[in-house]
Amino acid sequence: TMSSLKRFICEELKGSEYKSAPTLDIIADEIGIDVKDILKLNANENVYGPPQAVVDAIAEAEHFMYPDSTHIKLRTALANLFNVSVENIVCGAGSDDILDIVMRMMRPHTVVTSTPTFGMYSFLAKVSGFKIENVPRREDFTVDPDLVVETIRATKAPLVILTSPNNPTGTPMSNEDILKILKEDCVVIVDEAYAEFADESAVDLFGSDHPNLIICRTFSKWAGLAGLRIGYCLAAAEFVEVMMTIKQPYNINTAAEKAACAALEHREEIMSSSVKLLRQEKDRMYKLLCDNEKFPNIHPVPSSANFVLMKDWYKVCRGRLQDIETDGNSNSVLRQARG
């Protein structure tokens, strides 16, 4: 029977689930409106999408052939962008894939993060059987580097994962604070999924002086390629050699690599169009939400990403939507407000 098979399943996997954002089709069915009438924002995607040149490149991909397992064209383009060696680049199916590869390479007994933050870190640690140490952020959602260092030393954690700008707060982490943590005897991953929307980057710290630094990035947000799952990292050559060996051989499909290469070719266009528009709109929204007369109970958090976190938004939405008929499913309406 099904229940008898549970004895074959690893104990650590019980209760392990990463809850992804629902698709537009699901949301439309719940709310009862047409998909075309919904603008979904709750996964922080670039709703403008990629430029036509990138779409054309996807169409040109040779789908009948297996992709290049070394991703040499994409890695070369990224190496040129960051002025590093190809031996410093690993590509994956989104930065989540990179994080998984690093965890398999290191098999750390403990992973340190600073919460609230991206739920994928604790998910990956849990399904891999590693302990997660969540260091609370300050009241303003900035990382307390001294407390992180204290936790690293107390737990002897070999791996730290920090996000800048952070998800879901949009809070950046200064390179000065990252440097404090890099001095410890551990690997420090800085997840920069939203770096293209920020003004400071840990890339400025990358190099031989800090070989324990790994920087993860993605094409999901700035390039509008979330659906193709394409990301990468900058890492020391010693790490890259192992990561390239243990990753899935064909972890990036041909369409994704074509799209990523085209996005890099048109990077300036994307940065000056959709990324610029998203930054401007985020700033406009933040200032609007700071108006206490119009929004007395909403407390927006300063953001260096493409979104704005609002403290107590759920209570505010509850208050405004309490009289709306939802057929017993108020969450669907709240999801519409959140999205």
Side-chain angles (χ1 to χ4, degrees), residues 89-283:
I89 304 287
V90 178
C91 298
S95 52
D96 299 344
D97 186 27
I98 298 294
L99 294 170
D100 186 53
I101 294 169
V102 172
M103 287 197 183
R104 285 191 283 114
M105 174 180 70
M106 294 183 63
R107 297 183 182 177
H109 56 81
T110 305
V111 180
V112 174
T113 65
S114 188
T115 51
T117 194
F118 188 32
M120 183 57 69
Y121 311 142
S122 58
F123 170 78
L124 286 173
K126 189 168 185 178
V127 299
S128 301
F130 310 138
K131 185 178 180 182
I132 190 86
E133 286 285 344
N134 295 318
V135 178
R137 288 172 176 259
R138 300 186 181 111
E139 189 67 25
D140 63 355
F141 295 119
T142 56
V143 171
D144 185 338
D146 295 328
L147 192 54
V148 171
V149 167
E150 182 181 315
T151 304
I152 294 169
R153 294 177 180 177
T155 62
K156 293 182 171 55
L159 178 61
V160 179
I161 306 177
L162 300 165
T163 321
S164 183
N166 185 45
N167 177 4
T169 65
T171 317
M173 189 171 181
S174 71
N175 284 347
E176 181 181 356
D177 285 346
I178 294 173
L179 274 172
K180 291 181 182 178
I181 301 170
L182 281 171
K183 293 177 181 178
E184 299 303 304
D185 185 25
C186 63
V187 172
V188 179
I189 296 178
V190 179
D191 187 348
E192 291 195 336
Y194 300 92
E196 284 79 8
F197 302 95
D199 296 322
E200 187 174 19
S201 169
V203 168
D204 294 334
L205 304 177
F206 186 77
S208 58
D209 290 341
H210 310 292
N212 57 329
L213 172 63
I214 297 177
I215 300 171
C216 288
R217 286 202 178 186
T218 179
F219 286 83
S220 294
K221 312 302 181 181
W222 72 275
L225 298 176
L228 287 179
R229 311 306 303 124
I230 180 77
Y232 60 95
C233 77
L234 277 67
E238 288 179 66
F239 287 152
V240 171
E241 182 180 5
V242 178
M243 292 172 71
M244 291 295 291
T245 301
I246 66 172
K247 74 173 184 65
Q248 293 289 335
Y250 305 118
N251 59 331
I252 296 176
N253 64 66
T254 53
E257 184 171 10
K258 278 276 191 180
C261 287
L264 290 175
E265 288 179 19
H266 298 273
R267 189 173 187 275
E268 289 187 15
E269 175 191 341
I270 298 171
M271 293 296 291
S272 62
S273 56
S274 64
V275 171
K276 183 179 179 180
L277 285 170
L278 287 168
R279 291 187 67 166
Q280 290 174 341
E281 183 63 14
K282 180 261 299 181
D283 291 339

Side-chain angles (χ1 to χ4, degrees), residues 41-61:
L41 303 177
N42 61 342
N44 308 327
E45 294 132 331
N46 184 338
V47 294
Y48 294 105
Q52 189 58 46
V54 176
V55 175
D56 293 341
I58 296 171
E60 294 171 2

